[in-house]
Amino acid sequence: MRRFPLTLLALVAITWASLTSHFPEMPRIEEVPFYDKWAHFLMYGTLTLVVQWECHWLARSGAALSAMVWTLLCALMPFVWGVLMELGQAYLTTWRTGDPVDALANTVGVVLGLISGRLIFFRTKGQS
């Protein structure tokens, strides 16, 4: 995993945000409808883009990444992590709850992150 330092950093940040009870008060953001769902969507979309960027960078630097590795890292890992974080909230904390709608927001973020990343990285594939 040392080839994926930004992915690890993103996973640590998401894990902390998912399992901690220490959040600063942000009263204005709570006025935004479904703000927590937007946060899930953005976290997992960003995670997916980061993973794709690191895979793309490795492939450009000569590392061979099979389609299977690409799929596992870029699609399944963020999805599974989102499910694990919701389960962790439900069963490992008393101050958070696992929410299937949060898991759905995570999944939508992963899917849109995949689509965005594929458009970005395939469009720039031939450019130096």
Side-chain angles (χ1 to χ4, degrees):
M1 288 306 287
R2 72 175 201 269
R3 291 184 173 195
F4 296 92
L6 296 177
T7 299
L8 287 175
L9 183 63
L11 289 173
V12 167
I14 288 172
T15 301
W16 179 83
S18 297
L19 300 178
T20 190
S21 63
H22 304 291
F23 276 103
E25 297 260 342
M26 296 184 290
R28 297 202 70 186
I29 198 162
E30 293 177 4
E31 296 173 8
V32 175
F34 306 108
Y35 76 94
D36 60 324
K37 305 311 178 232
W38 284 105
H40 284 266
F41 167 78
L42 290 172
M43 282 191 304
Y44 284 90
T46 301
L47 172 62
T48 304
L49 283 171
V50 167
V51 174
Q52 286 184 92
W53 182 79
E54 288 188 320
C55 285
H56 180 73
W57 183 80
L58 282 171
R60 286 184 68 121
S61 67
L65 289 175
S66 69
M68 177 74 138
V69 169
W70 185 278
T71 302
L72 287 173
L73 285 173
C74 297
L76 291 180
M77 187 275 296
F79 170 75
V80 169
W81 199 260
V83 171
L84 289 174
M85 289 299 98
E86 291 306 316
L87 290 172
Q89 288 177 352
Y91 297 110
L92 299 177
T93 69
T94 57
W95 52 88
R96 305 292 299 263
T97 59
D99 184 358
V101 180
D102 286 350
L104 179 62
N106 297 346
T107 302
V108 171
V110 170
V111 169
L112 291 179
L114 281 169
I115 292 168
S116 300
R118 298 296 264 184
L119 290 172
I120 293 166
F121 298 124
F122 278 118
R123 180 168 290 175
T124 61
K125 187 174 183 177
Q127 300 172 3
S128 296

